[in-house]
């Protein structure tokens, strides 16, 4: 299958591109810069120059593909306004990609986060949140799944709070970066809140399985670790960086503070049973041992 991939040179995207190419697919990768185009080419993909805001380029990419995987996101969490802008850009892109696929029965795999459900572990059957700092992402992905009624084999792979590879990536990677700047490995509150996690290489396998097999309108959880306590994550970061480990105000984390402070474990039992997905790579606490001082 010829697959149009947005965000194909990031932590997750590069793993997805390699997984697709390694399993007989070809890839057309959206590349927002010359450097990204070179990375895509070196990986064996054909680059298509343009960014997520270039809607005509997105339409051109869909026209050349038998399936679409969307992974691109601005990842600007510096302020509420910056985050809102990133969400709005992605929402417009998803709407454009979806409209181009209507009536084609082609697969459209998009990405979202595992939902937070108070008092219990979230499952694939739980709806995405549609309010809060990233509620717009939930609304956009829900609309993509609704395209199942319009002849699109649309599915969503829900990613945990930390997608990691060699000790970097996700919320744990953000904790590491903040720890380096602050001189302390911090966690919000008492640190007992749990974050799910997955290795990028395992997540990539699930994106491929969803592309190849998933029925229209379905959601899947790329969760290997159901929930690691944040203070345990901070403890490994602190030990690797030689820094003290302690609680810090949630305001330390800007617009992500309320999300960082929330207990949000998640299950992938249904995903494993239905698609035969089985994580095989190092779990988060083991992988964080790759952090270099």
């Amino acid at each position: 299958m010829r697959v149009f991939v947005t965000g194909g040179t990031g932590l997750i995207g590069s793993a997805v591109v390699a997984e697709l190419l390694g399993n007989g697919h070809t890839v057309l990768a959206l590349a927002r810069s010359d450097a990204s185009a070179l990375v895509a080419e070196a990986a064996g993909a054909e680059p298509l120059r343009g960014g997520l805001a270039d809607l005509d380029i997105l339409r051109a990419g869909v026209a050349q593909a038998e399936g679409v995987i969307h992974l691109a996101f601005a990842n600007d969490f510096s302020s509420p306004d910056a985050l809102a802008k990133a969400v709005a850009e992605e929402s417009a892109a998803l709407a454009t990609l979806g409209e181009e696929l209507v009536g084609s029965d082609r697969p459209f795999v998009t990405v979202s986060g595992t939902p937070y459900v108070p008092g219990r572990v979230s499952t694939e059957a739980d709806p995405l949140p549609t309010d809060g700092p990233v509620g717009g992402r939930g609304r956009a992905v829900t609309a993509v799944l609704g395209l199942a009624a319009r002849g699109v084999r649309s599915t969503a792979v829900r990613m945990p709070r930390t997608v990691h590879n060699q000790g970097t990536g996700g919320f744990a990677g953000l904790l590491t970066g903040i720890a380096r700047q602050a001189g302390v490995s911090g966690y919000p509150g008492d640190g007992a809140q749990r974050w799910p996690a997955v290795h990028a290489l395992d997540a990539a396998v699930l994106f491929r399985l969803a592309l190849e097999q998933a029925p229209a309108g379905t959601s899947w959880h790329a969760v290997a670790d159901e929930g690691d306590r944040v203070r345990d994550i901070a403890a490994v970061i602190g030990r690797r960086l030689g820094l003290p480990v302690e609680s810090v105000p949630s305001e330390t984390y800007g617009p992500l503070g309320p999300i960082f402070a929330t207990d949000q474990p998640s299950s992938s039992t249904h995903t494993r049973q239905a698609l035969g997905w089985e994580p095989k790579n190092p779990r988060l606490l083991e992988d964080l041992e790759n952090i270099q001082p």
Side-chain angles (χ1 to χ4, degrees):
M1 190 185 303
R2 182 168 168 81
V3 188
F4 178 42
V5 179
T6 73
T9 57
L11 176 76
I12 304 169
S14 57
V16 169
V17 168
E19 175 70 18
L20 293 172
L21 294 172
N23 284 273
H25 301 288
T26 59
V27 174
L28 176 67
L30 186 70
R32 63 183 176 184
S33 68
D34 291 341
S36 292
L38 289 172
V39 170
E41 243 176 356
E46 178 188 341
L48 177 66
R49 285 287 278 112
L52 207 55
D54 300 321
L55 302 185
D56 285 341
I57 299 295
L58 298 184
R59 294 184 185 101
V62 174
Q64 300 176 56
E66 298 163 281
V68 176
I69 295 179
H70 166 72
L71 296 164
F73 188 68
N75 284 323
D76 189 345
F77 304 110
S78 60
S79 71
D81 285 346
L83 181 56
K85 181 180 178 183
V87 170
E89 179 183 73
E90 181 189 44
S91 297
L94 284 173
T96 299
L97 293 167
E99 283 299 321
E100 289 300 301
L101 288 163
V102 166
S104 69
D105 290 321
R106 284 177 285 173
F108 180 17
V109 185
T110 190
V111 64
S112 69
T114 52
Y116 156 67
V117 180
R120 67 170 172 83
V121 174
S122 71
T123 74
E124 296 88 344
D126 291 312
L128 293 176
T130 54
D131 53 11
V134 293
R137 296 194 84 183
R139 293 190 294 273
V141 171
T142 300
V144 167
L145 295 178
L147 293 171
R150 300 177 63 199
V152 182
R153 188 159 64 81
S154 54
T155 61
V157 175
R158 297 171 173 182
M159 308 302 289
R161 299 299 171 257
T162 292
V163 183
H164 56 92
N165 192 353
Q166 291 297 305
T168 64
F171 278 12
L174 291 176
L175 284 186
T176 303
I178 293 168
R180 291 185 191 276
Q181 294 175 350
V184 57
S185 180
Y187 53 84
D190 64 4
Q193 66 271 41
R194 293 162 294 172
W195 291 351
V198 68
H199 197 285
L201 297 179
D202 289 318
V205 174
L206 182 54
F207 275 98
R208 176 179 60 79
L209 291 174
L211 178 84
E212 295 171 346
Q213 303 177 22
T218 53
S219 297
W220 309 95
H221 279 191
V223 173
D225 301 0
E226 191 169 280
D228 295 306
R229 292 188 306 178
V230 179
R231 66 169 174 256
D232 294 337
I233 296 170
V236 178
I237 294 169
R239 178 165 49 75
R240 295 298 301 165
L241 298 180
L243 297 174
V245 181
E246 59 190 54
S247 177
V248 298
S250 61
E251 295 77 28
T252 303
Y253 306 109
L256 290 177
I259 301 173
F260 272 28
T262 303
D263 185 51
Q264 46 199 291
S266 188
S267 165
S268 60
T269 299
H270 172 66
T271 297
R272 297 179 193 223
Q273 292 173 347
L275 292 183
W277 178 66
E278 194 58 47
K280 298 177 180 177
N281 288 280
R283 300 297 177 93
L284 175 60
L285 296 182
E286 178 186 351
D287 198 24
L288 289 176
E289 297 292 344
N290 289 298
I291 294 173
Q292 298 302 310

